[in-house]
Amino acid sequence: MLEIIDISLATSGPELVSAAADQGFLFIKGHGYTPSEVEELFRLSEECFNLPHDTKMKYSLSDTENVGYTSIYAETLDTKNDDVGSAKGDPKETFNFGQLDFLTGIPNQRLPDIIGKDKSNLNILAYHIKKMYDISQKILELLAIGLQLEDPHWLKERFKQDMVSGSALRLLKYPTPDELDPTTEVRAGAHTDYGALTLLFQRQPGLEIFQKNQWVKVPSLESSNPEEASPMVVNIGDQLSYWTNKYLASTMHRVRFPEDAESQTNARYSIVFFCHPADNTVLEPLQSPLISAEKSEEKRLTAKQHLRRKLAAAYHWDGTS
Ligand SMILES: O=C(O)CCC(=O)C(=O)O
Ligand SMILES: [Fe+2]
């Protein structure tokens, strides 16, 4: 069972680090999201995906930037193709909002008119982008304490609001099984996330994490506080894994088709925030009594170089199919 950590408590740092070190995935409460705010974001997501196919395709992701729309099978998260059928690409649609400035919350990209020309929807999107940023900063602050970093400000200094980074808010829609080829087994292939931290709201089961050599289902939890939305899933990405020499490791995960009847007839929606540091941040171990200083032979990458490599493989930017 994944742990539930209350990030509104200033004392949660050690508990957060211990949960992250054990499993790479955890739940957070005390995030401050109300149920209606989450509803509002999923409503906006449905509006985006309900646009006609041709309209969505006008906002397609280019082959250089991680912003815009991807149609089904366009992305392959399991680039090693370990799962049956994953070579075909993932049966999911996404809208990625990136090139973010967290002072305004406005993505620097072409936006569908239902957002770009609708002030109310634009404000909603900007509000959530800023809120996700604030929650991720709270988590990083607690991690810096729990990790006993020699420079307690190191993380904070690399995640300033106006820094150019790979951070992105991503809306996802997974079609129902009857819209797909019956041999399709995965919804999102096995992968680790490329950033520092990932925050997730999910609306249907299906997420699984790889632990002790087996796939374990991540449940959806009810909130224990009627004023606050359900606990969010948080996971450690590759960059925190580099900075901590794998003390906090990025855990492999995937999305499968759940067996319950509701999941057979309703599409699955999820909302993900990928939190990345400034592009030029070097991915090397930080100084802490908990982190081994051992340097690997691997050439140190910057956050941007690591992200580019991963995106190029997943979106076939490198010419692979
Ligand atoms: O949709 C989900 O629950 C997870 C999506 C995911 O793992 C990702 O986009 O990296
Ligand atoms: Fe992921």
Side-chain angles (χ1 to χ4, degrees):
M1 181 60 193
L2 302 184
E3 291 194 44
I4 309 173
I5 309 294
D6 187 346
I7 62 159
S8 68
L9 304 174
T11 50
S12 290
E15 213 190 336
L16 181 66
V17 164
S18 137
D22 280 353
Q23 324 218 48
F25 268 74
L26 50 104
F27 285 100
I28 55 158
K29 62 179 183 179
H31 47 62
Y33 252 107
T34 65
S36 61
E37 284 173 336
V38 177
E39 279 303 308
E40 172 184 76
L41 190 52
F42 276 106
R43 193 262 312 144
L44 184 61
S45 166
E46 283 188 38
E47 264 185 55
C48 289
F49 290 117
N50 284 343
L51 289 169
H53 177 73
D54 290 351
T55 308
K56 290 187 280 195
M57 292 303 282
K58 283 197 215 146
Y59 299 93
S60 286
L61 201 112
S62 71
D63 54 6
T64 53
E65 295 304 326
N66 187 27
V67 294
Y69 172 72
T70 65
S71 56
I72 67 167
Y73 304 127
E75 185 186 19
T76 310
L77 281 171
D78 175 7
T79 47
K80 297 199 181 80
N81 303 141
D82 289 338
D83 264 323
V84 180
S86 58
K88 194 172 172 190
D90 296 338
K92 64 179 189 324
E93 298 177 67
T94 74
F95 265 106
N96 293 350
F97 301 103
Q99 300 174 342
L100 305 173
D101 172 344
F102 295 108
L103 292 168
T104 62
I106 308 280
N108 182 16
Q109 70 192 75
R110 269 189 337 113
L111 295 166
D113 288 351
I114 55 160
I115 297 178
K117 295 202 170 144
D118 179 322
K119 218 164 167 49
S120 151
N121 278 343
L122 185 62
N123 285 341
I124 290 170
L125 182 69
Y127 173 83
H128 287 282
I129 285 172
K130 288 197 281 184
K131 189 161 181 103
M132 295 276 190
Y133 170 83
D134 289 346
I135 296 171
S136 60
Q137 294 318 293
K138 181 83 225 174
I139 298 171
L140 287 170
E141 231 170 79
L142 291 169
L143 286 177
I145 298 169
L147 283 168
Q148 303 167 43
L149 295 184
E150 246 163 60
D151 176 357
H153 306 296
W154 195 92
L155 284 173
K156 208 182 168 132
E157 280 163 8
R158 278 150 189 87
F159 288 86
K160 294 200 177 134
Q161 285 158 303
D162 54 352
M163 286 177 163
V164 177
S165 79
S167 292
L169 180 74
R170 169 176 244 208
L171 311 177
L172 291 116
K173 177 186 179 184
Y174 300 86
T176 53
D178 62 6
E179 292 171 65
L180 302 166
D181 173 337
T183 60
T184 315
E185 289 194 12
V186 283
R187 277 182 145 167
H191 65 283
T192 57
D193 289 344
Y194 322 144
L197 280 178
T198 305
L199 315 184
L200 167 82
F201 280 123
Q202 48 172 352
R203 265 213 167 155
Q204 203 191 73
L207 179 62
E208 299 180 350
I209 61 177
F210 196 64
Q211 279 194 323
K212 303 194 177 89
N213 276 324
Q214 56 181 355
W215 288 102
V216 180
K217 293 184 168 66
V218 176
S220 291
L221 300 185
E222 295 289 317
S223 178
S224 55
N225 169 2
E227 319 258 287
E228 187 171 276
S230 313
M232 287 175 107
V233 178
V234 171
N235 62 288
I236 301 296
D238 297 340
Q239 295 165 358
L240 261 164
S241 189
Y242 282 113
W243 293 327
T244 62
N245 232 337
K246 301 203 170 119
Y247 182 69
L248 305 182
S250 50
T251 299
M252 196 72 104
H253 52 287
R254 67 181 184 187
V255 182
R256 302 276 283 191
F257 292 95
E259 280 101 46
D260 63 290
E262 203 236 310
S263 308
Q264 303 301 314
T265 47
N266 288 318
R268 178 179 194 273
Y269 287 85
S270 60
I271 291 167
V272 185
F273 178 67
F274 298 113
C275 172
H276 288 245
D279 276 350
N280 61 0
T281 307
V282 178
L283 302 178
E284 62 187 1
L286 304 181
Q287 299 205 337
S288 144
L290 300 177
I291 298 172
S292 143
E294 202 180 299
K295 298 239 158 110
S296 75
E297 293 303 305
E298 240 173 83
K299 190 173 171 294
R300 298 285 164 214
L301 298 174
T302 62
K304 180 167 184 170
Q305 285 168 331
H306 173 69
L307 177 61
R308 289 269 136 187
R309 280 188 188 191
K310 292 290 196 172
L311 294 174
Y315 293 132
H316 318 290
W317 285 347
D318 48 6
T320 58
S321 57

